[in-house]
Amino acid sequence: MASHHLPSYLALLLAFLLPPLAASQWPSCGKNGNYTTNSAYQANIQALSATLPNNASASPTLFAVAAVGTRPDIVYALALCRDDANASTCGDCVSQGFTDAQKLCPYSKAATVYYDHCYVGLSSNQTLLSPTGGDNGALILTNQQNVTAPVRAFDAAVGALVNATAAYAADNSSRRFGTGEAGFETVDKAKPKIYSLAQCRPDMAPPDCRSCLADITAYIPKYMSGKQGGRILGLRCNYRYEQYPFYSGPSLLQLPAPSIGAPPSQAPAPTPVNATPVSPTPVNATPGSPPPPGGGSTGNGAAGILPITLPIVAAILASVVI
Ligand SMILES: *[C@@H]1O[C@H](CO)[C@@H](O)[C@H](O)[C@H]1NC(C)=O
Ligand SMILES: *[C@@H]1O[C@H](CO)[C@@H](O)[C@H](O)[C@H]1NC(C)=O
Ligand SMILES: *[C@@H]1O[C@H](CO)[C@@H](O)[C@H](O)[C@H]1NC(C)=O
Ligand SMILES: *[C@@H]1O[C@H](CO)[C@@H](O)[C@H](O)[C@H]1NC(C)=O
Ligand SMILES: *[C@@H]1O[C@H](CO)[C@@H](O)[C@H](O)[C@H]1NC(C)=O
Ligand SMILES: *[C@@H]1O[C@H](CO)[C@@H](O)[C@H](O)[C@H]1NC(C)=O
Ligand SMILES: *[C@@H]1O[C@H](CO)[C@@H](O)[C@H](O)[C@H]1NC(C)=O
């Protein structure tokens, strides 16, 4: 038996041994400064939690920043939902962010919690409000499963797709949001597409968004080579790629499959799909539910004959200050 074909009991055991990683929220806690119970700082967080979820979900860009209180207890907050989230998903996600920030980063003045559909940042530092100031404070997450396709061809396709999606978000979207899909059927018939998403704070100028995404996509070769999925989540920008569709709605751009046996040396020209509707299966994953194992929602018939499909678990690999 090939080493990557784990017996199913072992796969299940592994899944249960990884509960914190299987969770679909990822905190990044500050290290400089704590508040105390019943302090003005805590009251200011409560005040923000009462209005920011609604403000973010009511905003056309699903984005809100705010400050509540007075020095030295002023709290700055930021909330951004993924552009394909609806208002109720957005508001619920941001509310959860306030609860989890206080639970997962107890008494830390600075805390960011990332989810599939949104993230919420709290800080005593005003740079949080600026689209360019402060740290991006990124978390690197990867799907722990290796691709079965040739790694070189896969990495080249992911690099080209994520680059094109990032360029779309920075330059072709007033909401600083892009999604894309790349054909991969010439290399791997069982997993015929790769999907990606890139997003910046919608108040970022295109060059700032572009350079923010360039900084975090630069980690792809080091951390994501041969991995079925990965993401880097930062306060100002983020991206994600997977071998299954994980966003709602049609992909905003499409890349052709690489020609057989020849991984592309550079990004093929992206095709904006305004004129040609494409419909990847919408994924209505709720926060907390794992993505479909093996890309089940792609309608991929071959998935069913794989001997074992490990649950797809994203693990935090590293936290980097960018
Ligand atoms: C904040 O609290 C944590 C434990 O809750 C402690 O480890 C840390 O040293 C404190 N930081 C400051 C700046 O007081
Ligand atoms: C939410 O929006 C309202 C109306 O624009 C504003 O008065 C309030 O300060 C905002 N709250 C936050 C926390 O941004
Ligand atoms: C706020 O954050 C910026 C950027 O990380 C840092 O240079 C500055 O010293 C911080 N200010 C305070 C008051 O902590
Ligand atoms: C993926 O590949 C790496 C390097 O070859 C290996 O260390 C790791 O155990 C593999 N992971 C899985 C889940 O098979
Ligand atoms: C992606 O863009 C970076 C520059 O931002 C470049 O160095 C890299 O070669 C590109 N990768 C692909 C596969 O096009
Ligand atoms: C942006 O849109 C233009 C016009 O539709 C297109 O030519 C260009 O390739 C697009 N760029 C990206 C990065 O999608
Ligand atoms: C919002 O999206 C969620 C998850 O994608 C879905 O379950 C829900 O029905 C949607 N709600 C509305 C009002 O469209």
Side-chain angles (χ1 to χ4, degrees):
M1 178 182 284
S3 62
H4 58 277
H5 294 157
L6 294 172
S8 56
Y9 70 87
L10 186 52
L12 268 176
L13 179 62
L14 282 174
F16 284 109
L17 284 175
L18 297 170
L21 304 181
S24 55
Q25 77 273 5
W26 297 280
S28 173
C29 306
K31 292 178 183 64
N32 302 310
N34 295 332
Y35 61 89
T36 55
T37 307
N38 299 327
S39 60
Y41 197 91
Q42 189 177 44
N44 291 335
I45 294 177
Q46 291 307 326
L48 284 162
S49 74
T51 56
L52 202 68
N54 195 45
N55 286 21
S57 62
S59 145
T61 52
L62 301 178
F63 173 65
V65 291
V68 164
T70 53
R71 257 173 250 288
D73 300 307
I74 189 163
V75 184
Y76 300 95
L78 170 159
L80 176 61
C81 297
R82 220 168 66 185
D83 196 66
D84 62 326
N86 60 36
S88 65
T89 297
C90 178
D92 291 350
C93 186
V94 173
S95 280
Q96 189 66 43
F98 277 92
T99 306
D100 287 346
Q102 295 171 86
K103 196 156 66 187
L104 303 172
C105 302
Y107 301 111
S108 174
K109 284 191 170 183
T112 305
V113 188
Y114 297 98
Y115 303 85
D116 284 345
H117 292 98
C118 80
Y119 65 89
V120 175
L122 301 174
S123 178
S124 59
N125 191 320
Q126 187 171 9
T127 56
L128 185 67
L129 300 190
S130 158
T132 53
D135 296 330
N136 197 19
L139 296 181
I140 301 172
L141 277 66
T142 64
N143 184 317
Q144 292 299 282
Q145 280 193 290
N146 295 319
V147 290
T148 49
V151 170
R152 221 165 83 83
F154 181 77
D155 287 355
V158 167
L161 175 63
V162 175
N163 274 12
T165 311
Y168 187 98
D171 297 319
N172 275 16
S173 161
S174 60
R175 306 160 77 89
R176 304 283 173 265
F177 177 79
T179 55
E181 61 183 78
F184 199 56
E185 68 278 8
T186 48
V187 180
D188 186 353
K189 282 195 178 59
K191 295 196 169 157
K193 280 186 188 295
I194 306 169
Y195 299 85
S196 90
L197 177 156
Q199 185 178 29
C200 293
R201 282 174 63 142
D203 60 348
M204 282 174 92
D208 294 331
C209 176
R210 211 182 300 130
S211 78
C212 185
L213 287 167
D215 286 347
I216 59 173
T217 54
Y219 287 86
I220 290 180
K222 181 169 179 194
Y223 288 103
M224 296 175 189
S225 177
K227 297 298 175 196
Q228 289 188 10
R231 48 185 128 172
I232 295 191
L233 306 172
L235 264 176
R236 290 195 296 276
C237 64
N238 65 81
Y239 69 86
R240 177 180 179 186
Y241 76 88
E242 303 286 354
Q243 287 187 301
Y244 58 87
F246 57 90
Y247 43 81
S248 305
S251 300
L252 297 169
L253 68 82
Q254 277 186 302
L255 298 188
S259 12
I260 301 166
S265 55
Q266 60 183 33
T271 313
V273 289
N274 300 343
T276 324
V278 294
S279 17
T281 313
V283 173
N284 292 322
T286 49
S289 67
S297 66
T298 59
N300 164 8
I305 60 163
L306 289 175
I308 179 65
T309 310
L310 279 167
I312 294 173
V313 171
I316 296 180
L317 265 194
S319 167
V320 290
V321 174
I322 296 170

